[in-house]
Amino acid sequence: MKKTFQSLLLTFLFAVAGVAGAAPINLSAPGTDLSAELDDYSSAGIGRTIKLVNGAQAGEGNNYFKDLYTFTTPTTYDLSAMMSSVLNASSGLHISGFSLLSGGTYVLIGKKDVLNSLPSSQTWLFDSGKTPLSAGTYTLAVEGYVNSAVGGSYSGNIAVAPAVAVPEPATLGMLLTGLGLVGVVARRRKQA
């Protein structure tokens, strides 16, 4: 009875160790602050190369990464970002997300550029468009998994520029009215 119990206990311990060894591996890099680089150059490079210790870790079910790049904008800024990764049977990263967050809330979600990407690569893009970013702290997130045993890399760029103020329609109306009044006054003076 004692030997049976010991055998069952050892079997259970080996089973638990096997399940624990098969748990997904988080390959995420520590967060990086890009604020100083963006202030100096108005753009910053992002990127990372991932190499696997064990090639069997490759594939969607075995590992993942989520790299975070933070930055702070002191005023209203327009933003654009691009990221690409080579992806083929022998190397590469599968990118599953490229987004911008503020306080844990999604601000912009990247879209895969299927028109300009080659079959062996992925390109993701987003920009603030007509809605510039207000002052605050933002996080650029790159998510995915290693596709092959040899690992892979991604690279990209984030660029910010002070937003150009666009007058509201009411302001434009007042400007045109003022110009019209100046024209009327100038014409009356000319006639007099």
Side-chain angles (χ1 to χ4, degrees), residues 184-192:
V184 167
V185 170
R187 186 171 183 178
R188 281 189 179 176
R189 281 188 180 174
K190 196 176 191 182
Q191 288 176 351

Side-chain angles (χ1 to χ4, degrees), residues 72-106:
T72 302
T73 59
T75 184
T76 305
Y77 276 92
D78 288 326
L79 173 137
S80 62
M82 183 276 306
M83 191 270 316
S84 63
S85 174
V86 174
L87 179 64
N88 58 44
S90 61
S91 68
L93 304 179
H94 178 84
I95 305 299
S96 57
F98 183 55
S99 51
L100 186 70
L101 299 98
S102 177
T105 304
Y106 286 92

Side-chain angles (χ1 to χ4, degrees), residues 10-184:
L10 280 173
T11 303
F12 175 75
L13 290 175
F14 283 128
V16 169
V19 169
I25 298 166
N26 183 351
L27 301 170
S28 301
T32 304
D33 188 350
L34 299 175
S35 298
E37 192 173 347
L38 286 170
D39 284 345
D40 291 345
Y41 306 108
S42 297
S43 67
I46 61 167
R48 188 158 81 92
T49 297
I50 299 174
K51 296 185 181 195
L52 297 175
V53 175
N54 177 0
Q57 294 171 343
E60 183 176 10
N62 295 326
N63 65 75
Y64 64 95
F65 64 90
K66 183 173 186 175
D67 296 342
L68 305 174
Y69 301 90
T70 61
F71 61 95
T72 302
T73 59
T75 184
T76 305
Y77 276 92
D78 288 326
L79 173 137
S80 62
M82 183 276 306
M83 191 270 316
S84 63
S85 174
V86 174
L87 179 64
N88 58 44
S90 61
S91 68
L93 304 179
H94 178 84
I95 305 299
S96 57
F98 183 55
S99 51
L100 186 70
L101 299 98
S102 177
T105 304
Y106 286 92
V107 177
L108 297 169
I109 298 174
K111 293 182 180 162
K112 201 172 184 179
D113 184 3
V114 292
L115 296 176
N116 298 314
S117 293
L118 299 172
S120 61
S121 70
Q122 310 173 67
T123 301
W124 291 70
L125 307 164
F126 64 75
D127 63 48
S128 58
K130 296 180 180 172
T131 310
L133 303 179
S134 56
T137 300
Y138 296 90
T139 302
L140 180 69
V142 180
E143 303 173 63
Y145 61 88
V146 181
N147 187 53
S148 69
V150 296
S153 63
Y154 67 83
S155 63
N157 194 352
I158 178 172
V160 296
V164 177
V166 176
E168 294 183 16
T171 306
L172 285 173
M174 288 188 334
L175 177 66
L176 291 174
T177 303
L179 274 163
L181 288 173
V182 168
V184 167

